[in-house]
Amino acid sequence: MHAHIERLYGIAAKPERIIIGLMSGTSMDGLDVALCRVRGAGTKTQVEVLKFTTCPYPDSYQQRVRQVFAKREIDLQHLTLINPWIGQLHGQLVNECLARWHIDTDSVDVIASHGQTVFHCPQSQHGLSDFGNATLQLGDGCHLARTTGIITLSDFRQKHIAAGGEGAPLAAYGDYWYFASNEENRVLLNIGGIANITVLAKNAPLEQTLCADIGPGNTMLDAYVQRYFAPLEYDQDSKLAKRGKVDPALLQALTAQPFLAKAMPKTTGPEVFNLAYLAQCQKQSNTQELNHHDVLATLCEFAALAIAKQLNVLAEQLGEIKVYASGGGIHNPLLMARIRAHCRAGISLDSLQLLGIEPDAKEAVLFALLANETLAGSTTSDAGHAGMPAVSMGKVSFPD
């Protein structure tokens, strides 16, 4: 048996594993690095976040990734070059974290890397009958493994698509294993660039778990700030949006996006919710002359309405629900206040911190859990449903 295969077999057989989960979101502000101790698998999974940090990216990262991010026409040479470059950079950041934490590389069993999404393209979005769902994440796993010397699982979304899913959201799997409850209906709300939810009905099996993107989170807000309030990257503490007023005409045009009315499960991305869509809505509503603060206030209200509308539907179906929020959007006080304002009675909205996980770490921890399930989980072939196939995910890259 090859030494790497033997090591992988040994890791899978261990009662607990040390896994580094990596996540790089659409904000591209940094790499989330979560060092996790994971025990068991499936519904017996226990995870302890030993260390967590967000490593800021160099300025060149955003500049290079944005040349291909959510664009249909790009320089193919540039795309080809930055794929290994991102893998190497992520590996270097992991090495820096381990050195800072005084943790030996040999004590880490595997890395679970999400990579950097640059284009998400479900069939429902592209509408081409000859092609199915597709998505693309950059950051080659082999380069990451070679840079760190640690076995790496990466490119998780491709198996999901190959088995009939859309490649997103993947949160349902880890959310069910770790957060499912017999006492309350839980909704895990993650507000990243796109807002997504995992619905965990009380005492329900995996096949009844529902996960979907529900609309924009931070993506349009951040893009607008970056264009019109440079060098700011985002609206810290909602200071800019709070200076504006919501424009009803623009809000009505924004909320007419067909995706919002689609049934779950569904996925979307910045390919749909972007500044081009905003410009289209401003033209339709004759609001091109709105000042920037009013536009930001309206975009914030748009995101809040889309999120609250879906939460209200769930409350009608399930009764009282407990919503636990994570992602960068929880640091936007105006967005969180407006979500609460639009939610009906019977919905509580709190931080994921109440369930014992640092909200900013949640997505990185999720990929550690997905890797753990691929390594140590039992078959769940009878547990999948349309949009959420029961498959193991992640391609394995050895250091040498």
Side-chain angles (χ1 to χ4, degrees), residues 89-104:
L89 175 61
H90 285 182
Q92 291 164 6
L93 294 175
V94 169
N95 288 341
E96 291 172 9
C97 286
L98 292 175
R100 187 164 63 250
W101 295 334
H102 304 289
I103 294 173
D104 191 89

Side-chain angles (χ1 to χ4, degrees), residues 291-331:
N291 70 64
H292 296 318
H293 296 98
D294 288 349
V295 172
L296 279 175
T298 306
L299 287 175
C300 192
E301 187 75 359
F302 173 40
L305 270 174
I307 293 168
K309 179 181 178 181
Q310 191 60 67
L311 295 179
N312 288 337
V313 169
L314 292 172
E316 290 177 6
Q317 297 170 347
L318 299 175
E320 184 174 324
I321 61 174
K322 302 285 188 179
V323 182
Y324 298 95
S326 61
I330 68 170
H331 302 298

Side-chain angles (χ1 to χ4, degrees), residues 36 47-49 178-179 325-326 351-363 365-366 369:
C36 305
V47 60
E48 178 185 0
V49 181
Y178 191 69
F179 295 109
S326 61
S351 168
L352 187 68
Q353 188 74 55
L354 290 182
L355 297 183
I357 292 289
E358 167 64 40
D360 291 330
K362 195 238 183 182
E363 293 291 282
V365 173
L366 163 66
L369 293 177

Side-chain angles (χ1 to χ4, degrees), residues 245-299:
K245 295 181 179 180
V246 175
D247 184 89
L250 177 56
L251 182 62
Q252 183 177 7
L254 289 166
T255 55
Q257 165 55 240
F259 172 84
L260 302 176
K262 289 181 59 180
M264 297 191 296
K266 57 185 177 179
T267 63
T268 190
E271 298 80 14
V272 173
F273 293 102
N274 51 37
L275 295 188
Y277 176 61
L278 171 63
Q280 172 189 325
C281 291
Q282 286 191 274
K283 183 177 181 180
Q284 291 174 352
S285 57
N286 294 314
T287 55
Q288 296 97 320
E289 302 305 318
L290 276 183
N291 70 64
H292 296 318
H293 296 98
D294 288 349
V295 172
L296 279 175
T298 306
L299 287 175

Side-chain angles (χ1 to χ4, degrees), residues 176-199:
Y176 177 80
W177 296 322
Y178 191 69
F179 295 109
S181 170
N182 294 328
E183 285 77 42
E184 62 185 17
N185 296 311
R186 290 180 174 175
V187 176
L188 303 187
L189 169 64
N190 185 71
I191 311 175
I194 297 297
N196 62 70
I197 57 173
T198 303
V199 183

